[in-house]
Amino acid sequence: MDDVGHEAERGTADEQGRGTAGEHPGDQARPRPRDPVDARLARFSGVVGEVVDPLMWGLDLEDEALTGYDDEADPTSDRFVRSYRTFAREAFEVETLRTAVAADAVEDVVRAAASGALAAPLHADISAPVEPDHDPTPHGTTDFADDFADYRSAMRAIVTEVDAVPLEPAELAVDGTTLPATRVRVREVTAVHVPLGDRGLVVTGPSDLVERVVVVTRPIRSLLGAPRRR
């Protein structure tokens, strides 16, 4: 074979090794890491709850996210949460639980949702520092231990208050069908759970809104947008 033939042969081999421009040898064969969010979405595939026309109810959509952790024994460990905020800055959430809630666990789920809603202002105070309401320490900040103790005391008081309120049988309209539900109402906050086949739905917020908003379920992908191109 002449020199030109050898050069052509080497060029073909080099192109096969390099692949496309910008890639190193072996890139095409190496599996790409799996996106953990995509993996959770795949496991969560199906429908999730949302409020129809939030602005009509005075709601702004703040966030939508998968939250929780992996624990098959805990039905609330894997959730899709749509977080809204009223024009008065009150929290309103629609949580879709990936698995159904056992009858003996519904009470815990509903009470935890109500406690979380009542505790939201405490979390806001922690995440957004405000002017100290007592003398600062020599380092220029309030004492963390005292603040933490106050927070723990406030949380215990909220949980105790919620636990003292009896659960109520209720109804919640989802996709135009009225379904039996379980709720707890504390102060002006309501948390309600309704079973949706192999999933659970928890709606939490100001009582007057929870009783009036229109809730529907839609495929999770339609809410998060089209899949990214790889």
Side-chain angles (χ1 to χ4, degrees), residues 161-172:
E161 181 180 3
V162 172
D163 286 348
V165 177
L167 296 184
E168 303 173 334
E171 294 180 336
L172 185 69

Side-chain angles (χ1 to χ4, degrees), residues 106-178:
V106 169
E107 178 174 355
D108 290 340
V109 169
V110 174
R111 292 192 187 280
S115 296
L118 292 171
L122 298 178
H123 301 156
D125 287 344
I126 291 175
S127 61
V130 295
E131 291 296 325
D133 57 3
H134 50 81
D135 294 335
T137 66
H139 299 290
T141 60
T142 57
D143 186 86
F144 174 79
D146 288 344
D147 287 348
F148 184 70
D150 291 343
Y151 171 79
R152 291 287 298 273
S153 296
M155 284 298 301
R156 282 196 296 268
I158 288 172
V159 171
T160 299
E161 181 180 3
V162 172
D163 286 348
V165 177
L167 296 184
E168 303 173 334
E171 294 180 336
L172 185 69
V174 181
D175 295 329
T177 300
T178 300

Side-chain angles (χ1 to χ4, degrees), residues 49-61:
E50 70 166 333
V51 174
V52 175
D53 195 3
L55 291 178
M56 184 178 72
W57 308 103
L59 295 171
D60 276 330
L61 177 62

